[in-house]
Amino acid sequence: MSTIDYAEDEPTNPPDSGSQKISAPAALRNREVIADAIDDFLPKQGNVLELASGTGEHICLFAHRFANLKWQPTDMDPSRLASIESHAAAEKLPNLAGPVSLNVAEDTWHSWDADVILAINLLHVAPKSVTRAVMRGASNVLHVGGTLIFYGPFMLNGTFSTESNRKFDLYLREKNPEWGLRDIADLDHAANAVGLARVALIDMPANNNLVVYQKLDVSPPD
């Protein structure tokens, strides 16, 4: 994939004038595949908190497909929050809550109770410190046994899985020196420090991975 291809995947407003909806070609391409992959890690009932929901196209599909779960979208960008709300209004899904503003880098999140936290294509377009912040926030919000799921491109033990991922990392760092692919080993270290343990690492299409953590019961014994 070339730099031009990356640019073509940037979210855009549709041609209809006045619409607050934003559409991301990559989201429309991968959301069915992601839904298939996360199915094995979702409970029968419960609450799912999505971080950095972006355009809202992922979570609308997930809420439709997994109607037994309650879905909470978030983002920190006002234009993205407006897009999520617009997409959600069109879908009219009773299990999809209105979007809430959340900066995942903040020390304290809202007082949600979550069974699952989902973050799609977040860590590589954020400073490295956000990885630790997300792990801390997730540990505070998740129930014991709850699940934290990441989707996106990653490194493994300092190695890129493909040449295209190495080029993508360079592209990201040219846009912002604080961005770039994160290493699974660093995720594991940050997760373990706050009582989360990796339970799955799954290869996904287009050189992406699904990385799944579970919150452990770290309460002291009686």
Side-chain angles (χ1 to χ4, degrees):
M1 183 180 285
S2 69
T3 300
I4 294 175
D5 293 327
Y6 300 140
E8 288 175 349
D9 260 349
E10 291 294 323
T12 57
N13 290 91
D16 53 311
S17 61
S19 175
Q20 292 183 303
K21 289 182 182 178
I22 302 172
S23 185
L28 296 177
R29 252 194 335 265
N30 64 31
R31 60 182 186 169
E32 293 279 2
V33 174
I34 296 173
D36 290 342
I38 65 175
D39 193 2
D40 290 338
F41 302 99
L42 298 178
K44 298 298 182 184
Q45 304 285 337
N47 301 316
V48 184
L49 171 65
E50 186 182 31
L51 309 179
S53 298
T55 64
E57 291 166 308
H58 281 120
I59 202 165
C60 284
L61 174 75
F62 300 158
H64 177 77
R65 177 161 170 178
F66 304 107
N68 54 313
L69 297 171
K70 296 178 181 178
W71 294 83
Q72 176 64 66
T74 70
D75 210 282
M76 62 180 288
D77 184 330
S79 68
R80 297 300 193 264
L81 292 169
S83 178
I84 297 164
E85 190 167 5
S86 185
H87 281 289
E91 295 292 334
K92 296 182 173 64
L93 297 167
N95 62 324
L96 179 58
V100 174
S101 179
L102 173 63
N103 180 352
V104 297
E106 292 178 349
D107 290 336
T108 303
W109 293 1
H110 298 272
S111 56
W112 285 299
D113 288 322
D115 299 284
V116 178
I117 295 176
L118 179 63
I120 297 173
N121 288 326
L122 167 62
L123 297 182
H124 59 277
V125 290
K128 196 171 185 178
S129 60
V130 167
T131 297
R132 296 187 296 274
V134 168
M135 294 298 184
R136 287 194 304 268
S139 182
N140 290 334
V141 168
L142 284 171
H143 301 299
V144 171
T147 304
L148 170 62
I149 304 173
F150 295 103
Y151 168 89
F154 295 94
M155 299 171 63
L156 183 59
N157 297 321
T159 303
F160 294 104
S161 60
T162 63
E163 177 64 13
S164 63
N165 272 6
R166 186 188 69 79
K167 291 180 179 179
F168 185 43
D169 181 74
L170 289 173
Y171 167 76
L172 291 170
R173 294 179 189 279
E174 287 174 357
K175 291 190 70 173
N176 187 324
E178 293 192 306
W179 293 1
L181 272 61
R182 305 303 169 209
D183 198 305
I184 299 295
D186 292 335
L187 268 68
D188 288 350
H189 181 76
N192 296 162
V194 293
L196 302 171
R198 176 156 55 91
V199 294
L201 175 59
I202 300 170
D203 290 335
M204 298 287 288
N207 307 314
N208 290 300
N209 294 104
L210 199 76
V211 193
V212 185
Y213 294 89
Q214 188 172 54
K215 183 175 179 179
L216 306 176
D217 184 355
V218 293
S219 58
D222 295 335

